[in-house]
Amino acid sequence: GAEEAGGAEGTTGARVAVTVAYVGEVADGEAPFLPEEERLLDSVAGVVAAHVGRERSIDRLRASTERLETILEHTTNLVFMKDLDGRYLLVNDAFAEFVGREKDAIVGETVTAVHADPVAEWVTAHDREAVAAGEPTRFEEHVIVDGERRTFVTVRVPRFDADGEPYAVYGIATDITTQQRAADERATLLDRMTDGFMAVDADDTITYINDHGAEMIGRDPAALTDADLREAFDEGADAFLAAYDRAIEQGEAETAEVYYAPADAWYEARVYPDASGTSVYFRDVSDRVRDRRRLEQFEHIVETVHDGVLVVDAGGAIRFVNQYVVDRLDRDREALVGSDVSSLLRPADRGRIRETIDRLAVGEEEDGAILELTVDAADGPLPVEIRKTPLYHDGEFWGVVAVVRDV
């Protein structure tokens, strides 16, 4: 017969079984072993199983250690471990190459022996800060190497014994100099933009605003960075926030012209959402809005006066007519705009209007001079008095504004 006499677990939880077999004849109703023999065999089996389990655990630990060492020696990150006195317990090849020493010359040495001040001072301070925090802690650190400022992001992790007492700190430092330089160049470019620029993450937190943008809206960039977008613009920015929400909801770019009361200014905001966050570009369009409003007011006045108003370019083409002209001629505005102004006159006067435009172009006709002509109105010939004013664009003659009065 055979009996499973005992077993033991390795460090990974795998159970080792030991079987004890009795070879020989056993009388009916009798057990192969006496009770005391069974207890002895159980003990022996337990010892054998524990030994085998330890051997397997050691093999697994050795393989795991070899894999870890391979990773450490092939990573470009700087890896280190120190005790609480700042004495190095472990470093990888990348760390040794960075400080310019052999690994054996570093292990066992203190921070002050490996690094000169001020590096040794802040390295020690950061180690202590990580241990005091009792959890992984991230640091951005700067070191001058061959005259070049290098930037590292270092994560320090404290180690604790079975009683919960810290006994060491290990860290991994990643060189982000290239990425940091690219980020700085990107920030410089954004600050040189004539537009304002603001970056907002998926949680509506402002992660960046360029200096020009902050200046445009009269805010401090430091006060806006890391602020909640809705809290930062909780006053007088409803139209902007509505455009922002539409862009996020639809997943498409949105453009809005908004008035921001705290700055007493109008802005054109362009909102571009993506998976990582939202980019907002904005420019001050206050002058454009004011000009447009003045133009709208002017157009309203022009449309309601009881005189005809026409704008004619240098070639004689009509570019604008007010409602009075439309009504008196009984013609569609669309048909009038683009047609030759001479087509509105009786044949005998068509040459005179062309001559007048040419004289205005070379400055031989006085501004405001009056010209009397006859227009072919809807109800027959209409004698009119035309007061004309030249228009210029960038110093060049562009056309004429003509005010027409029924005489």
Side-chain angles (χ1 to χ4, degrees):
E3 293 186 8
E4 187 175 282
E9 294 184 3
T11 58
T12 61
R15 190 170 183 82
V16 177
V18 176
T19 300
V20 179
Y22 174 82
V23 181
E25 294 183 0
V26 179
D28 292 339
E30 293 184 2
F33 301 109
L34 296 174
E36 56 271 20
E37 291 174 327
E38 288 185 357
R39 287 193 294 272
L40 175 61
L41 289 173
D42 283 343
S43 299
V44 172
V47 172
V48 172
H51 177 74
V52 174
R54 280 196 298 272
E55 289 298 316
R56 291 184 179 178
S57 296
I58 290 171
D59 289 342
R60 286 192 294 270
L61 181 59
R62 185 179 294 113
S64 178
T65 301
E66 290 174 355
R67 286 194 298 270
L68 177 60
E69 289 179 349
T70 300
I71 293 171
L72 291 180
E73 298 315 321
H74 286 83
T75 181
T76 57
N77 295 332
L78 314 186
V79 181
F80 58 87
M81 179 180 282
K82 288 171 275 187
D83 63 20
L84 299 188
D85 293 325
R87 199 175 302 278
Y88 283 95
L89 305 175
L90 174 150
V91 297
N92 69 340
D93 286 345
F95 185 95
E97 181 180 353
F98 180 76
V99 300
R101 297 191 185 190
E102 295 293 330
K103 287 197 296 183
D104 292 342
I106 299 173
V107 174
E109 295 291 343
T110 62
V111 170
T112 53
V114 175
H115 305 286
D117 282 333
V119 175
E121 183 177 351
W122 58 252
V123 164
T124 300
H126 289 175
D127 289 344
R128 290 172 178 169
E129 186 176 337
V131 172
E135 61 183 8
T137 308
R138 182 181 182 273
F139 300 89
E140 183 173 301
E141 301 171 336
H142 307 281
V143 184
I144 303 299
V145 180
D146 297 330
E148 179 188 8
R149 187 174 187 263
R150 305 283 290 276
T151 301
F152 290 84
V153 169
T154 304
V155 177
R156 287 175 166 77
V157 183
R159 301 297 296 167
F160 299 90
D161 59 23
D163 296 326
E165 293 296 323
Y167 67 88
V169 59
Y170 76 84
I172 301 176
T174 304
D175 189 340
I176 62 166
T177 304
T178 301
Q179 298 94 313
Q180 186 69 52
R181 186 178 295 120
D184 290 343
E185 291 173 354
R186 195 159 52 245
T188 299
L189 177 63
L190 290 171
D191 280 333
R192 290 176 178 173
M193 289 174 56
T194 56
D195 285 2
F197 173 77
M198 181 167 61
V200 185
D201 67 17
D203 295 323
D204 292 343
T205 299
I206 301 171
T207 58
Y208 176 81
I209 183 168
N210 66 351
D211 290 341
H212 184 62
E215 181 182 354
M216 272 200 294
I217 61 177
R219 303 287 291 275
D220 179 6
L224 289 174
T225 303
D226 295 329
D228 181 85
L229 177 71
R230 300 178 194 283
E231 293 178 0
F233 293 94
D234 62 344
E235 179 185 351
D238 293 346
F240 162 66
L241 292 176
Y244 175 85
D245 289 338
R246 286 196 302 272
I248 298 299
E249 181 179 350
Q250 299 170 7
E252 297 179 353
E254 184 80 17
T255 300
E257 193 172 82
V258 298
Y259 176 70
Y260 183 50
D264 189 24
W266 285 87
Y267 299 96
E268 179 187 77
R270 289 161 288 150
V271 185
Y272 299 92
D274 60 33
S276 61
T278 304
S279 298
V280 180
Y281 296 85
F282 54 97
R283 65 178 62 182
D284 190 331
V285 294
S286 299
D287 289 342
R288 185 178 76 186
V289 171
R290 294 187 184 103
D291 289 344
R292 186 177 68 236
R293 289 188 169 184
R294 281 195 292 266
L295 178 60
E296 290 170 351
Q297 292 170 355
F298 167 76
E299 289 178 346
H300 176 72
I301 294 171
V302 168
E303 289 293 347
T304 55
V305 296
H306 294 288
D307 287 330
V309 179
L310 298 89
V311 176
V312 181
D313 67 20
I318 298 173
R319 296 303 181 187
F320 171 81
V321 294
N322 70 345
Q323 190 63 38
Y324 180 88
V325 174
V326 172
D327 293 340
R328 290 306 304 266
L329 298 181
D330 194 22
R331 296 173 63 179
D332 291 336
R333 192 187 300 262
E334 290 76 10
L336 288 170
V337 174
S339 65
D340 194 289
V341 66
S342 62
S343 66
L344 307 181
L345 305 175
R346 302 188 75 181
D349 290 332
R350 291 175 183 174
R352 293 179 62 196
I353 193 66
R354 180 68 261 173
E355 180 183 352
T356 298
I357 293 174
D358 292 341
R359 289 173 60 83
L360 282 170
V362 296
E364 294 180 357
E365 186 84 14
E366 291 184 10
D367 182 4
I370 296 175
L371 178 68
E372 293 184 354
L373 299 171
T374 301
V375 175
D376 283 331
D379 52 358
L382 176 66
V384 296
E385 178 183 273
I386 301 176
R387 188 179 299 273
K388 48 206 181 304
T389 300
L391 292 175
Y392 296 91
H393 180 70
D394 291 337
E396 298 291 330
F397 177 76
W398 182 88
V400 180
V401 174
V403 178
V404 183
R405 176 164 295 175
D406 179 359
V407 294

